[in-house]
Every structure is written in C-alpha cells, then in structure tokens.
Amino acid sequence: MIYSVLVEVSLRPGIADPEGATIERALPALGFTGVSDVRAGKAFRFSIEAANEDEAVRHAQGLADRLLSNPVIEHSVVRVEDAR
Amino acid sequence: MIYSVLVEVSLRPGIADPEGATIERALPALGFTGVSDVRAGKAFRFSIEAANEDEAVRHAQGLADRLLSNPVIEHSVVRVEDAR
C-alpha cells in the first residue's frame, strides 16, 4: 500500500520564533485583529510504501526526526491522510 | 470564542520544488526507501477570535492568502482544530 503522509514540523514551546512574531506584528496594519500566538513551521508531504498504516507512521516518524527536523528545537507530528 | 487554526501552505502542482527534490534524493543514502513525491511547504499555527467557526475560517483564509502565501505559486489550506 502507498500512504500519503503529512509531517508538520514546529518549534518546541519556549523556543523563540522570530518569523511568527514578525507576522503577528504585521497583522494590525493589514486590518487583521484578534489574532495571537502565531507560530511558523514547516509542512512536508510525501508518499510512502508500507505494509500497513502502523509501519507507514513508524517509517515517516523516523524520517521526520532524522531528516526533516532538528529534534533539539523542533517537534514533528506525522499524519497519514490517505492510502491507495 | 477563540479558535486554534492551522494553515498549510504548499506549492501548487507543477511548480518546481527544489527543497522537496533535494530531500527525496538524500533519502536512499539514509536507508529510507519507498518514499516518493516529497513536497516541502510551510505550516502556520495561530489563535483567532471569531463569533463562530465559519467566521474563523473566513478570516484565517483571508490572512493566509494575503500574508502567509503567494497565491500565484502557492496554495493554502485552513483547518480549524480547536475552540475554547
């Protein structure tokens, strides 16, 4: 089976996020109010071949931790969205 | 109500994605096989104050299109994940 995977990589709580802070400061000038806690991260999508969904999640999590994120400052969440 | 929103910004199909291609080329050397169609994008999380979920999605979509993405080459998907 081929599974479609979404990996969301975000900064851990407490790690400074200058990109998110800059976006938040720009919002009022563009007319957006009531927005807070802006955090910027990365999103990766890929297809992975695996025998079942558990294996797909395990391989994708390994890949996310080793290649797509820096586990010291970043946290990654794997979501399997589709299988065919 | 305050809604937690996730905005996923990805390159439109057909737009070259050198970051994703580089990741895909690096995978076999790290022992990951069976992975294809790697696409790199951005993920933003924020809290937005709105009267209801529809309004939260509408405001977040406007923000995503005007500030978080370049609609010419990027596509953004808004997901409301939590309300309090």
Side-chain angles (χ1 to χ4, degrees):
Chain A
M1 297 273 279
I2 295 178
Y3 295 87
S4 293
V5 176
L6 168 65
V7 175
E8 186 193 348
V9 177
S10 52
L11 288 164
R12 292 189 183 277
I15 304 287
D17 179 1
E19 186 179 352
T22 302
I23 292 168
E24 198 165 328
R25 272 200 310 277
L27 288 170
L30 286 167
F32 293 102
T33 55
V35 178
S36 57
D37 304 327
V38 181
R39 303 284 284 174
K42 286 175 279 183
F44 298 93
R45 283 189 179 273
F46 51 85
S47 300
I48 194 164
E49 215 180 318
N52 55 52
E53 191 168 326
D54 280 356
E55 192 186 306
V57 169
R58 207 173 61 246
H59 283 184
Q61 189 70 60
L63 198 163
D65 291 342
R66 285 188 59 197
L67 191 62
L68 303 179
S69 69
N70 173 357
V72 177
I73 58 165
E74 289 171 328
H75 175 69
S76 57
V77 177
V78 169
R79 196 154 35 195
V80 170
E81 300 221 316
D82 188 32
R84 64 171 192 275
Chain B
M1 298 272 279
I2 294 177
Y3 295 87
S4 293
V5 175
L6 167 66
V7 175
E8 185 192 348
V9 177
S10 52
L11 288 165
R12 292 189 185 278
I15 305 287
D17 179 1
E19 187 179 353
T22 302
I23 292 168
E24 199 165 326
R25 271 199 310 276
L27 288 170
L30 285 166
F32 292 101
T33 54
V35 178
S36 57
D37 304 327
V38 181
R39 303 284 286 174
K42 286 175 278 181
F44 299 93
R45 283 190 177 272
F46 52 84
S47 300
I48 194 164
E49 217 180 315
N52 54 53
E53 190 168 324
D54 280 356
E55 192 186 306
V57 169
R58 206 174 60 246
H59 283 184
Q61 189 69 60
L63 199 163
D65 291 341
R66 284 189 59 198
L67 192 61
L68 303 179
S69 68
N70 173 357
V72 177
I73 57 165
E74 288 171 330
H75 173 70
S76 58
V77 177
V78 169
R79 193 150 42 189
V80 170
E81 301 222 316
D82 188 33
R84 62 170 193 275

